[in-house]
Amino acid sequence: MKHMFHYEGRWTGGRAGSGEIRAGGLQATVTRPAQMGGPGIGTNPDEMLLSAAATCYMMTLAFLLEARKIPVMDLTVFSTGVFSEEGGLHCESIAHRPKILLGGEGNGVVDLAMQLAREAESRCMVSRALAGNVSISVEPDVLVNDGR
């Protein structure tokens, strides 16, 4: 089964210009980031690439945890992308730091939750698309809420 998604973008100006994009539920203003000499209003491809990788990772992890019936009370993912202009603008690395809070009955599955947190990266569609070009790491933190 194939799925199609559509994008529409409009840009005004040069390097200091701005644009508007739409793709399904995404609607945003885009500009060059301030730290790269742009106006820094709205988002940019760097943030969107990081967001796509982190969102895909987070959803994949949530689906894996659910499939194994692991009692997740809260799942939060903090991700950092390192982008470099050396040798042409590119993404060097992405680090995902998921924080998984399990219910009290989750004591016996902490190791499994850690394993799934690492496995989710290789099963994520965006991670697979970036493979060989971007170093992606996962540093999970799994906690159990014992009710105290």
Side-chain angles (χ1 to χ4, degrees):
M1 176 181 299
K2 294 184 181 188
H3 305 278
M4 293 182 67
F5 296 90
H6 303 280
Y7 166 94
E8 177 185 338
R10 188 171 311 255
W11 187 264
T12 304
R15 293 172 69 86
S18 66
E20 295 293 326
I21 63 168
R22 295 175 197 264
L26 172 66
Q27 181 176 345
T29 297
V30 292
T31 64
R32 193 165 183 224
Q35 63 264 45
M36 294 179 180
I41 53 173
T43 190
N44 57 71
D46 313 77
E47 292 170 342
M48 289 190 293
L49 178 62
L50 173 61
S51 296
T55 301
C56 183
Y57 170 79
M58 178 175 65
M59 292 173 70
T60 302
L61 176 54
F63 301 161
L64 290 174
L65 293 166
E66 178 185 57
R68 296 300 289 268
K69 299 188 180 355
I70 294 180
V72 177
M73 292 181 67
D74 187 62
L75 170 60
T76 306
V77 174
F78 303 93
S79 297
T80 302
V82 176
F83 293 80
S84 175
E85 294 184 73
E86 296 172 17
L89 182 60
H90 64 282
C91 181
E92 287 184 357
S93 65
I94 294 175
H96 299 303
R97 290 176 310 285
K99 183 175 180 182
I100 305 167
L101 178 61
L102 304 177
E105 65 275 19
N107 280 317
V109 293
V110 170
D111 289 341
L112 179 57
M114 293 282 281
Q115 174 189 332
L116 293 174
R118 290 184 180 94
E119 182 181 325
E121 185 273 321
S122 66
R123 297 191 56 187
C124 163
M125 172 192 69
V126 175
S127 294
R128 288 194 318 263
L130 296 173
N133 294 308
V134 178
S135 171
I136 301 177
S137 62
V138 176
E139 303 163 21
D141 186 15
V142 179
L143 307 168
V144 178
N145 181 355
D146 60 8
R148 286 188 252 169

